[in-house]
Amino acid sequence: MLDPKIRDDFPILSLEVNGKPLVYFDNAATSQKPQAVIDKLVEYYETSNANIHRGIHYLSEKATEGYEESKKKVARFINAKSYKEIIYTRNATESINLVAYTLGLSSLSKGDLVISTEMEHHSNIIPWQIIKKHKKIDVEFVPVRDDYTLDIDEYKKLLQRKPKLVTFVHASNVLGTINPAKEITRLAHKAGAFVLIDGAQSVPHMKIDVEDIDCDFLAFSSHKMCGPTGIGVLYGKQEILEELDPFMGGGDMINHVTYEESTWNKLPWKFEAGTPNIADAVAFGATVDYLEKIGMRDIEKHERELVSYALDKMKKVKGLEIFGQDDRVESRGGMVAFTLKYAHPHDVAQLLDEEGIAVRSGHHCAQPLHEKFKKSTTSRASFYLYNTKEEVDKMIAALDRVVELFHS
Ligand code: 7TS
């Protein structure tokens, strides 16, 4: 386990909620921010604020340097070849939409197949439904089996139809399942498809190496990995990004403009129209420094130990059913969705909140997955580097009290 002193880095963790010390178990929705990231944000506004790529004055150059340095750090963090492969968006959702609206609109045509999976977040379902409407493509979903893993045999069958794109969630935000990204990618490439991975729930929690996985695109969000809101990342292989048309048009993404037509800027700027979210990008660079200092492998180990501890205890709560694998911790992430036989998930979340414990309830933007397993909603506890076994114990005690309340 990581040293619990790490908690001192996160000012919000010393809050009391409803008179109790905060237990923050809603990390899959968004994570808390360390002081180093908050300080960087303030420092940027106090010492560097200007627009980037526009002026030759001192501040503009300083802001530009901070923005570009952040991209270089992110490229190193995921082992991309260059910062040219790192596009900043608002969030993982926008990153996925960027691929849909560029590659989807320009390269897909009627009857082309896109393969996704049944365990996607809505952000990797809706964009393809929109492209389906525009371009009359087919979208198929790899089934989730009863053991909450993807049905790879069905996937192989779908691949025989020569899809143009395979897109899948690396770690499910509900089931916790970690999909075999390298193998899925290898098979997709063999069938001639592009590969887009939704890394929103994997990049914050494990060491990701895009060269090793060999995916063509990877989408993730800063705010789920201790960074500021308002910054998302789309990694894309340079040779593919070079071929794509821009996503949005405007300032900074152009080379030369006439009234009739225009040419595009170099990568990655071709995909970043208008003034970007400079301050949050600079602070995102500090976020990467922070995570690297702790070490992604140690973060992963910490969460694995914590989720294993939590699963053992949760299984013993009367009437508690886990939605996802409850044993194979090596292939699942640190989030546990569950239902209690005697209480509605919203009541569970509300009663836990009264004890200062933050969990989420709902369908977690994965409604089709819930419906497939005949659930309308679940509660979900999701862990991160600063959570402890003592906090898990508090949640278990609170859940026992909920069961007592509803069962008696
Ligand atoms: N993909 C996955 C797997 C996610 O879990 C989420 C957010 C997204 C994409 C979208 O991320 P965004 O930053 O663009 O919003 N998931 C959740 C969640 O589970 N609870 O709140 C947000």
Side-chain angles (χ1 to χ4, degrees):
M1 300 287 286
L2 291 167
D3 188 340
K5 276 211 187 80
I6 264 183
R7 296 176 60 80
D8 297 342
D9 296 341
F10 295 80
I12 208 168
L13 296 181
S14 58
L15 273 190
E16 289 203 342
V17 170
N18 295 322
K20 306 271 171 51
L22 167 69
V23 173
Y24 188 76
F25 281 167
D26 196 16
N27 294 287
T30 200
S31 62
Q32 299 303 346
K33 323 300 173 200
Q35 191 66 51
V37 171
I38 300 168
D39 286 348
K40 194 71 186 175
L41 199 55
V42 174
E43 182 198 282
Y44 169 80
Y45 281 121
E46 287 180 349
T47 68
S48 316
N49 181 49
N51 213 327
I52 60 165
H53 297 155
R54 282 162 172 84
I56 48 162
H57 59 80
Y58 170 81
L59 281 182
S60 176
E61 283 183 0
K62 202 168 168 199
T64 301
E65 206 179 289
Y67 189 78
E68 295 187 355
E69 190 54 38
S70 161
K71 289 206 175 200
K72 287 177 188 159
K73 285 177 182 174
V74 172
R76 268 201 312 274
F77 186 66
I78 59 167
N79 197 28
K81 284 199 184 77
S82 145
Y83 74 96
K84 293 178 188 157
E85 301 186 314
I86 305 297
I87 298 160
Y88 280 165
T89 59
R90 278 185 307 136
N91 45 39
T93 303
E94 188 175 307
S95 300
I96 294 169
N97 275 274
L98 194 158
V99 178
Y101 280 88
T102 55
L103 183 119
L105 283 186
S106 70
S107 309
L108 300 182
S109 36
K110 192 172 174 201
D112 280 348
L113 176 63
V114 168
I115 297 180
S116 186
T117 85
E118 284 183 347
M119 63 170 87
E120 301 305 310
H121 185 275
H122 295 167
S123 60
N124 204 21
I125 298 176
I126 318 294
W128 305 110
Q129 291 177 344
I130 293 171
I131 300 303
K132 181 176 169 176
K133 217 168 153 187
H134 280 294
K135 306 287 294 204
K136 310 272 180 288
I137 60 165
D138 287 336
V139 184
E140 298 281 359
F141 297 90
V142 180
V144 178
R145 294 182 296 209
D146 289 344
D147 67 356
Y148 306 110
T149 62
L150 288 178
D151 189 333
I152 297 294
D153 293 333
E154 281 304 315
Y155 172 52
K156 286 180 181 163
K157 274 190 213 155
L158 285 169
L159 286 177
Q160 289 170 5
R161 288 172 52 191
K162 298 283 171 215
K164 288 285 188 326
L165 174 78
V166 170
T167 181
F168 62 96
V169 68
H170 193 182
S172 159
N173 65 322
V174 178
L175 305 171
T177 307
I178 297 171
N179 291 312
K182 200 171 164 178
E183 181 61 3
I184 296 174
T185 301
R186 190 185 66 79
L187 292 168
H189 281 162
K190 217 169 117 195
F194 289 111
V195 174
L196 161 65
I197 299 181
D198 173 358
Q201 300 291 353
S202 61
V203 178
H205 304 282
M206 59 176 85
K207 179 79 197 119
I208 298 293
D209 181 334
V210 288
E211 190 177 293
D212 181 54
I213 296 173
D214 195 31
C215 53
D216 301 303
F217 303 99
L218 173 73
F220 56 101
S221 285
S222 147
H223 71 92
K224 291 190 200 287
M225 51 194 286
C226 299
T229 49
I231 285 284
V233 178
L234 178 70
Y235 155 80
K237 279 183 184 162
Q238 187 173 342
E239 60 271 23
I240 299 173
L241 293 177
E242 299 280 9
E243 293 302 314
L244 292 180
D245 281 334
F247 176 36
M248 290 191 272
D252 216 28
M253 49 72 72
I254 47 80
N255 177 24
H256 187 255
V257 181
T258 67
Y259 287 117
E260 286 74 35
E261 56 182 10
S262 305
T263 55
W264 314 136
N265 202 345
K266 298 188 297 262
L267 289 175
W269 321 120
K270 176 173 103 176
F271 290 102
E272 294 186 11
T275 302
N277 185 352
I278 308 163
D280 290 314
V282 171
F284 186 36
T287 310
V288 168
D289 290 341
Y290 180 81
L291 292 176
E292 281 182 334
K293 196 175 82 200
I294 291 168
M296 291 311 294
R297 303 229 183 261
D298 287 345
I299 291 172
E300 188 180 345
K301 250 170 71 187
H302 173 84
E303 286 179 33
R304 192 161 288 168
E305 203 173 322
L306 199 58
V307 78
S308 159
Y309 182 80
L311 285 167
D312 280 348
K313 296 234 161 178
M314 288 171 83
K315 280 191 270 187
K316 292 182 190 130
V317 173
K318 200 167 172 186
L320 188 147
E321 196 184 307
I322 286 160
F323 186 26
Q325 292 174 349
D326 63 4
D327 44 6
R328 283 179 261 169
V329 286
E330 63 292 336
S331 58
R332 89 188 304 303
M335 66 284 281
V336 186
F338 63 95
T339 50
L340 277 186
K341 201 168 176 183
Y342 308 107
H344 190 278
H346 290 305
D347 294 331
V348 174
Q350 197 174 344
L351 288 163
L352 293 192
D353 181 57
E354 283 174 17
E355 310 221 16
I357 304 167
V359 298
R360 189 181 164 182
S361 72
H363 51 55
H364 316 295
C365 300
Q367 198 163 24
L369 177 70
H370 275 75
E371 285 179 1
K372 176 188 165 89
F373 284 92
K374 313 238 171 327
K375 295 179 194 307
S376 59
T377 56
T378 52
S379 305
R380 182 188 64 189
S382 52
F383 311 123
Y384 210 5
L385 70 166
Y386 36 68
N387 292 125
T388 65
K389 288 183 180 168
E390 290 69 36
E391 289 183 310
V392 171
D393 291 342
K394 280 186 193 170
M395 179 180 75
I396 298 296
L399 287 172
D400 283 337
R401 283 193 285 278
V402 174
V403 172
E404 231 170 79
L405 191 73
F406 280 82
H407 195 40
S408 56

